[in-house]
Every structure is written in C-alpha cells, then in structure tokens.
Amino acid sequence: MQSRKLVMALWVSLLATLPASSWAQSKTVHPGTPEEEMRYKGAPVPIKPEEAKEMASPKAPPVSTEEFARAKQIYFERCAGCHGVLRKGATGKPLTPDITLPKGTEYLKVFIAYGTPAGMPNWQTSGELSEKDVDLMARFLQHEPPQPPEFGLKEMKAGWKVHVPPERRPKKKMNNLNLENLFSVTLRDAGQIALIDGDSKKIVSTIDTGYAVHISRMSASGRYLFVIGRDARIDMIDLWMEKPAVVATIKVGLEARSVETSKFKGYEDRYAIAGTYWPPQFVIMKGDTLEPLKIVATRGMTVDTQDYHPEPRVAAIVASHHKPEFVVNVKETGKVLMADYSDLRNLKITEIAAARFLHDGGWESSQRYVLMAANQSDKIAVIDTVNSKLEAIVDVGKIPHPGRGANFRHPKFGPVWATSHLGDETISLIGTDPKGHKEYAWKVVQTLKGQGGGSLFIKTHPKSKNLWVDTTLNPDVAISQSIAVYDINALDKGFQVLPIAEWAGLGEGAKRVVQPEYNKAGDEVWFSVWSAKNHQSAIVVIDDRTRKLKAVIKDPKLITPTGKFNVYNTQKDVY
C-alpha cells in the first residue's frame, strides 16, 4: 500500500507540471497525449493470442493458464501497437521483465490504471479495463513476453493458392469496364473490397479479402490488383476477367501493411513484394502467381543508438522507376532498404540510414526522389532513387502522416510535396526541385494551419488547383466529419471547410471523413464517410472545380469504407 501511495504521489506531481488544458485532458482516456494520436497508435494487432507461446518467469508473480490467455488477448488488442509484439518498445517504451520486475506489481497497477502524462492511457479510470484486469496485466508484464511463431517459406507455401493459373486466364480484357477509372475501396470490417465504376458510381462487385485491407496496389500493366489485409493475406485480382476475381492468394505472416509490384522497364508485372509487421521481414514473389521466392529478415541495429532491435516492422514499400529496385521502409531501425530484384539468388540490398519510425510516403513530381515520413521522429527522409542514397532529412510537424503525399507547383517556391500531421494542425510544404529551385530544395518552405490534428491523408492532382486535407482521427466531431480545402494559388487565404458527412445524408454513426482520392481525369475527388459496422456509411463525390456535391454513393454493401484507390492513379503513381 505504501508503494502505491508513493506512485500516486509521483503521478499527481507529474500532472501538476502540465498546463490547465492538459490537466483537463488527463481526465479523459488518454492523459497528456492528444486523443487523435492515441487512436492512431493504439490499434490492435491481428495476431491470435493462442498462437503466441507463453513463457512464465520464476521470479514473477503467479499467472494461471487461463489468466495468461486473457492477458495475451488484452495485450495484443490494446498494447502491442505501441509497445511491440515482443514488448521491446516501438512508439511506446519497452515493457520487458528487466524493467517491469524491479518496479513490482503495485507500481505497475497504478500506472496502468491511471496512465501518465507521457501518453500511457488511464485504462482503469477510463473504464476500458476492470480493476481485476489491471491487476492481471501488472503481473503478466513481469513475465517473459509470449513469442508468436515465425513465418517462413514452408508456412507461406501452406497458405498459397493459385485459383486460376496464368494459362487459364483471359488473353484480352473480357469486360466493358473502364479500368482506368475503376476504384478499389476497402470495406474494412467486412473483410472485403468493393470495385466501384468511377463513371457510373455503381458497385461492380465486392470481393472477399483479408481482414482490414490496408492498401490496394496495381501491377505496372494495370491488369492485376493486389490488396493486403492487416492479417497479412494478399489477394491478387485479375481485372481482365468477365467478372474481376481473385486468381491467387497467399498469407505472408501474421500482421502486415504493404504490398507493391515491380515497375522498372523490362520487369513490369514480373515480381510482387510484401512487407510484414510480424515476423519483421519482407518477401519477393512471382508477379503472376504470388509464389514466394525470397524472404529477407529486417531484424538488426537502429540507425541512431546502434542497438539491436528484434522487431523492426516493414512499413511502406514503393517500386523504383529508375532501377530494378524496391524501396523498403523498416520502421523501428529507421533504415530504407533498396532491394535490387534483378538477381534474387545474388540479392543486393543498399542500406540507407534515415530516421527511426519510418512509416509511409511517396514520390515527388519528377518521380526520382521518394519522401518517407519517420512519423514518431517528426522527420521526412528524402531518398534519391537514381543514386540510391539519402538526399536529406527534413524536420516537420508532429507525427507526419502523408499517405503518399501531395505534389503541386507553389506560386513562389516551385514544385513542392506536402504532408499533414497526426499530432498537430499543421501542413508542411517541402521544396522538391534541386535544379530549378535549389535554394528551396529539401526545406520546409511554408507551413499551413489546418483544422486540427488527426489527419491521415492529404491529396491533390496535377490538373487540380485544390489541396484537400482530412482530419479523420480528430476527437471533435465537427472536424472529423468535414474536410479542409485550400486554393493552391492562394494558400495564405486559409482553407474552406466542407461538411462532407452532412452531405452524405446518413443517420447515426461516427461518420469520420477519410482519404481524398481523385478520379483519373482529376475533376472529381472522392471521400469515404466511415461509420461503424452496424451503421450506414457512404462515399461522397465532390466536383473538384466548384467544390460542390456531385454524388453520394450509398449501398448496404458499403460496410466501413476507408481507403480508395483509383486504378490509373495508383498504377502511374499520380498524386
């Protein structure tokens, strides 16, 4: 009891150092940390608790078999996203026995129950966990972390299936779809994607996929659509078939985020690549069947402290247009790997030391340099894909989350690439023209003020004069249900707010607005209005020139729509 009082006193003293606004926020679910940031970091991992082998520690407080099962479930659902599957630390601090055992059960219970100003949620006082669960987690964290299984070639081949072999597929397009203006839309909680005709605004079909599809990517030819779920299942869809359908499937791990295909001239459609969060690795596959060919582990030393990290997750992957290379982000170590796929037996990887917590990113307008967001480091790494080297590291706002970013020509600074942020209301514009505007290259040339934090995506189009910024994870309903749009030629005038969710005309539900996506022509921008599985969702289409409502797509099949990917823009890296 005495130790509990001491910890409580420490916690109160820490709160006393915060400004009044933070004190008020500390009474909510996420003390000291913006709610939009915690919504982003606290997502569950799709690893099944029964797959992780328990390892009891003799010096730790007793935990029964039934309690272990319960604790693993809580940890994977609420904690692993921040602290890592192995508890070695990711965006959150390490929680290994060498740290937790000396603290003791009472100390840990207080911090789990009440949270900290550094960002630890107050799990008990918020009502998220019971007092019994908090006691269980305090004991569980003093044992060795449960170890999920590895996933190698044998496991991948066991989950690999070619539904329609290449020789049995169409020799020409067998449907009347305008594939270049087709949209692949993630139906997150349905475990599906919807193919929507961008011309008619009608759903062509829904296709079963893995859980919570993270992204859709196109083959270089524009024929094959690749989608990957957070459960690491990849589905390859042939868009030439009379009715587009899955022709190959593979499971490449237990949790994943990224898939891409080879785009260098002479290698179009030859290879596909996927990166996993668990195990930490990437795999190169045949581009027409998904047969796994080469697995590369990413465990290793961090770029800053040169410490070994056992769980460096693979985030965004892009395909180079200048070499037969994939550009692979390794999150926790902060490395960008340039994987040369021209000779898989003698694989060459150029390792570039960038900044820790690499996540997503995309090309600048010339498609020579790729800009990658190191989100928890508040930096953007600029990679020269011609010379395969680091060009620059740019300091930006708090937790950049650009998606693939937005490219446009600034009236003063020339070509720029933009990112919004999860952790603050700013939008950073970075100069990207080292030849024509050398004085502005790889610098933040302008910082815009947006609606608020919690932005996931920013978007424009080469034919547009608009810059669109969502604020999906902002806790203010008015902000999360609307969109901010800027005039690229008059950025200093600020933004216009459009009530996208209101225009959708839905009933109850969260109605968060997420991810602007253009059609091929660049004259329409599509938004998902994302509600829970048991509420109606929609897609709202805006006329890009007038900023007026053009169409609302409502259908019972549109269950939790999130990401949308226009086939042509995704194939050609237009953003």
Side-chain angles (χ1 to χ4, degrees), residues 217-238:
R217 289 291 180 261
M218 290 304 305
S219 66
S221 67
R223 173 175 182 172
Y224 293 111
L225 170 68
F226 297 78
V227 299
I228 187 165
R230 290 189 59 195
D231 58 357
R233 170 177 156 179
I234 303 172
D235 291 289
M236 178 182 175
I237 299 164
D238 187 353

Side-chain angles (χ1 to χ4, degrees), residues 188-215:
R188 189 184 185 279
D189 296 334
Q192 295 178 324
I193 62 158
L195 296 179
I196 300 181
D197 180 2
D199 299 330
S200 69
K201 313 295 188 290
K202 301 293 185 183
I203 295 178
V204 173
S205 64
T206 56
I207 298 173
D208 292 337
T209 60
Y211 163 73
V213 164
H214 193 68
I215 57 170

Side-chain angles (χ1 to χ4, degrees), residues 300-480:
M301 314 307 285
T302 60
V303 297
D304 45 10
T305 58
Q306 299 287 295
D307 291 324
Y308 177 75
H309 201 293
E311 195 186 339
R313 301 171 288 183
V314 176
I317 301 175
V318 299
S320 173
H321 299 276
H322 301 280
K323 294 180 180 180
E325 288 183 335
F326 291 118
V327 186
V328 181
N329 276 356
V330 185
K331 197 173 181 78
E332 276 69 31
T333 55
K335 297 174 181 177
V336 177
L337 305 180
M338 311 293 286
D340 183 338
Y341 52 75
S342 62
D343 183 356
L344 295 186
R345 183 172 291 276
N346 300 290
L347 184 69
K348 296 178 182 177
I349 295 180
T350 300
E351 178 183 299
I352 299 173
R356 291 188 69 183
F357 310 117
L358 292 164
H359 190 62
D360 56 355
W363 297 104
E364 46 73 47
S365 56
S366 76
Q367 295 188 346
R368 170 174 177 166
Y369 302 93
V370 65
L371 289 87
M372 297 298 198
N375 53 23
Q376 293 294 328
S377 296
D378 304 333
K379 300 177 186 299
I380 300 292
V382 183
I383 309 299
D384 181 349
T385 61
V386 171
N387 295 321
S388 298
K389 68 174 186 178
L390 180 71
E391 184 71 17
I393 292 181
V394 185
D395 291 319
V396 290
K398 184 173 174 56
I399 315 180
H401 195 282
R404 306 198 97 179
N407 289 297
F408 60 93
R409 189 172 188 87
H410 193 284
K412 177 179 179 181
F413 303 112
V416 298
W417 178 92
T419 180
S420 53
H421 299 87
L422 273 157
D424 66 34
E425 62 189 5
T426 65
I427 295 99
S428 297
L429 310 185
I430 298 172
T432 61
D433 183 17
K435 289 186 177 180
H437 298 78
K438 186 177 180 180
E439 67 273 32
Y440 303 131
W442 320 131
K443 299 175 183 176
V444 174
V445 294
Q446 187 173 0
T447 300
L448 307 177
K449 182 179 180 181
Q451 285 202 87
S455 177
L456 291 179
F457 298 101
I458 184 169
K459 187 73 72 171
T460 189
H461 187 278
K463 296 180 181 178
S464 175
K465 296 180 180 179
N466 290 321
L467 178 66
W468 304 85
V469 185
D470 71 19
T471 38
T472 313
L473 299 185
N474 196 286
D476 186 321
V477 171
I479 294 176
S480 67

Side-chain angles (χ1 to χ4, degrees), residues 13 53 82 98 108 128 140 166 194 206 209 236 277 352 366 422 438 505 551 571:
S13 68
K53 185 178 179 181
C82 286
D98 60 312
L108 294 171
E128 296 287 324
F140 168 78
T206 56
T209 60
M236 178 182 175
Y277 271 24
I352 299 173
S366 76
L422 273 157
K438 186 177 180 180
Q571 175 194 0

